[in-house]
Amino acid sequence: QSSHNHLKAVVSTQSTGMDFMDLDQGGRIQAYYIWIDGSGQNIRGKTKTIDRPVTSVNELPEWNFDGSSTNQSTGKNSDVYIKPVSIFRDPFRRGDNILVMCECYAPDGSPHPTNKRHACNELMERHKEHKPWFGIEQEYTMFDKTGRHPYQWPDNGFPGPQGPYYCGVGADRVAGRKIVEAHYRACMYAGVKIAGSNAEVMPSQWEYQVGPCEGIDMGDHLWVSRYILSRVAEEFDVVISFDPKPIPGDWNGAGCHCNISTLPMREEGGMPHIVAAIEKMSLKHDEHIREYDPTCGADNARRLTGLHETASIDQFSYGVANRGASIRIPRQCEKDGYGYFEDRRPASNCDPYAVTARIVKSICE
């Protein structure tokens, strides 16, 4: 019996590794530094030991990584520096351990070409009197561990047509709810401003919402939420895809709809400010499309076809409660006469720093 229990303990440790996670850390903490790689859409990260718990990002040192392995090398010098910009509680290591969102810098100290956050932050600071609020609806699709087959789709053929899956309930209508629930709770623990979640139109496709966040916080919170999602999915041998059109054909794509308001829009009588902002954005449609996915519009062209609740990528439109328009004004906002509007064009793999910066630039400058 004793040897049997010992074998069970060994197997448990080998299969999960979690038996070590309650070991004392001797007053030191683990800080997981997160950055965006050269693709503009993938997350990288590594762990640094810090001698004591921290309460401010200013207590954390800068670090570096090998840019030649992340498509971020500049010339012969492959070092890329990462500067901590925001911290979150670590839902995986827990305790005083933290997640650290970082910006990338070149060896000469200038913002790295892949660093969209630096310019976004400068823009937000210039227009902070407008108090821009954002809420982003992040759609994504689950795949099996190969990253090629949608999670729990039939081995041969396709599931039934779209219709019963949106906000669905039941094993015949949804797949991956355990991942969704774990991600939601992990975001809440971390301090990410997650606001809701739901099953989407295509099977194995889900959405969660983050916000409202003011200014630069929107990008920080969304990127960390994406890291947490992919990290949770690892535990289930599931791959998260942010591709805007993961399955060709008569299936919905995946977006990252961005809801926007400024202080004047949120105040009573704010509707004229909403319409004026949308009119300004209509004049910069092409510029927005170039910033709304990491391939200057090529990814979004597969999604924004005018079908499956999208507007055509070539045309700008807006309307009240119209999910086939580029920008939607919610019916409740029209009724109230103030509130916010929704830009439905950003792709699911967009960089939220680029998206929010482009919006503020269009409506505030």
Side-chain angles (χ1 to χ4, degrees):
Q1 181 68 31
S2 176
S3 61
H4 176 69
N5 289 339
H6 176 70
L7 178 60
K8 283 179 65 178
V10 170
V11 170
S12 175
T13 300
Q14 289 177 339
S15 61
T16 69
M18 297 305 292
D19 287 3
F20 297 101
M21 297 306 289
D22 61 353
L23 294 176
D24 183 77
Q25 296 179 215
R28 297 180 295 174
I29 68 165
Q30 291 171 286
Y32 191 79
Y33 281 47
I34 299 167
W35 70 92
I36 304 154
D37 72 10
S39 69
Q41 56 186 310
N42 296 325
I43 294 169
R44 307 288 181 118
K46 61 178 182 173
T47 302
K48 189 175 188 65
T49 300
I50 307 297
D51 287 337
R52 64 185 184 281
V54 300
T55 57
S56 168
V57 72
N58 297 324
E59 300 175 59
L60 294 169
E62 294 185 13
W63 206 7
N64 62 77
F65 64 89
D66 174 15
S68 66
S69 298
T70 64
N71 197 29
Q72 288 171 290
S73 180
T74 54
K76 294 181 179 179
N77 193 336
S78 65
D79 283 354
V80 177
Y81 293 89
I82 40 180
K83 177 183 178 181
V85 291
S86 59
I87 57 176
F88 296 80
R89 297 169 70 194
D90 189 334
F92 307 104
R93 291 165 171 160
R94 305 184 189 180
D96 291 322
N97 302 301
I98 55 175
L99 305 176
V100 185
M101 191 66 207
C102 299
E103 284 188 22
C104 293
Y105 285 82
D108 64 2
S110 63
H112 193 275
T114 61
N115 180 354
K116 304 285 187 180
R117 187 187 188 278
H118 179 81
C120 179
N121 194 37
E122 287 186 334
L123 199 64
M124 296 301 176
E125 284 297 312
R126 285 203 305 272
H127 299 288
K128 60 185 178 182
E129 73 277 5
H130 295 278
K131 296 189 178 298
W133 286 6
F134 304 95
I136 287 184
E137 306 166 27
Q138 176 69 70
E139 294 179 335
Y140 62 93
T141 309
M142 297 182 188
F143 281 74
D144 67 16
K145 64 182 179 180
T146 69
R148 295 190 293 271
H149 188 79
Y151 184 57
Q152 291 191 3
W153 278 33
D155 290 337
N156 298 297
F158 297 90
Q162 296 182 153
Y165 311 113
Y166 173 70
C167 296
V169 178
D172 59 336
R173 300 191 175 197
V174 297
R177 192 182 294 276
K178 288 182 179 179
I179 295 172
V180 171
E181 293 297 323
H183 171 248
Y184 202 128
R185 193 63 63 88
C187 282
M188 295 178 80
Y189 177 92
V192 170
K193 292 189 71 175
I194 189 167
S197 72
N198 58 270
E200 265 301 335
V201 176
M202 187 177 77
S204 301
Q205 184 185 68
W206 292 81
E207 174 190 301
Y208 64 92
Q209 304 89 39
V210 175
C213 295
E214 186 169 331
I216 197 65
D217 286 347
M218 185 69 258
D220 290 351
H221 281 245
L222 193 71
W223 275 115
V224 172
S225 77
R226 287 175 176 176
Y227 162 74
I228 293 173
L229 176 59
S230 292
R231 178 64 182 78
V232 165
E234 283 182 23
E235 303 293 326
F236 296 86
D237 283 338
V238 167
V239 173
I240 300 298
S241 170
F242 295 108
D243 189 283
K245 187 69 174 179
I247 307 298
D250 194 19
W251 302 98
N252 272 37
C256 206
H257 304 162
C258 186
N259 300 278
I260 313 106
S261 70
T262 59
L263 183 58
M265 297 178 198
R266 297 190 292 272
E267 294 178 334
E268 190 170 347
M271 185 56 67
H273 295 283
I274 292 175
V275 173
I278 295 172
E279 293 289 351
K280 287 181 179 180
M281 291 174 68
S282 72
L283 303 175
K284 301 289 185 180
H285 177 64
D286 291 343
E287 288 90 334
H288 281 259
I289 290 297
R290 284 196 292 271
E291 296 291 349
Y292 280 6
D293 71 39
T295 58
C296 297
D299 282 345
N300 236 346
R302 295 183 285 120
R303 166 181 163 259
L304 297 180
T305 61
L307 302 173
H308 305 110
E309 299 181 276
T310 70
S312 169
I313 195 171
D314 299 318
Q315 298 176 337
F316 180 88
S317 59
Y318 76 94
V320 175
N322 184 357
R323 284 177 167 76
S326 307
I327 289 180
R328 177 183 71 95
I329 299 174
R331 179 70 66 190
Q332 188 64 44
C333 293
E334 183 200 40
K335 180 180 177 181
D336 294 340
Y338 63 91
Y340 67 96
F341 63 93
E342 175 195 35
D343 190 341
R344 299 176 59 80
R345 295 171 294 175
S348 50
N349 61 348
C350 71
D351 184 335
Y353 298 132
V355 170
T356 56
R358 181 62 256 183
I359 292 170
V360 167
K361 188 173 184 179
S362 290
I363 69 177
C364 295
E365 292 194 339

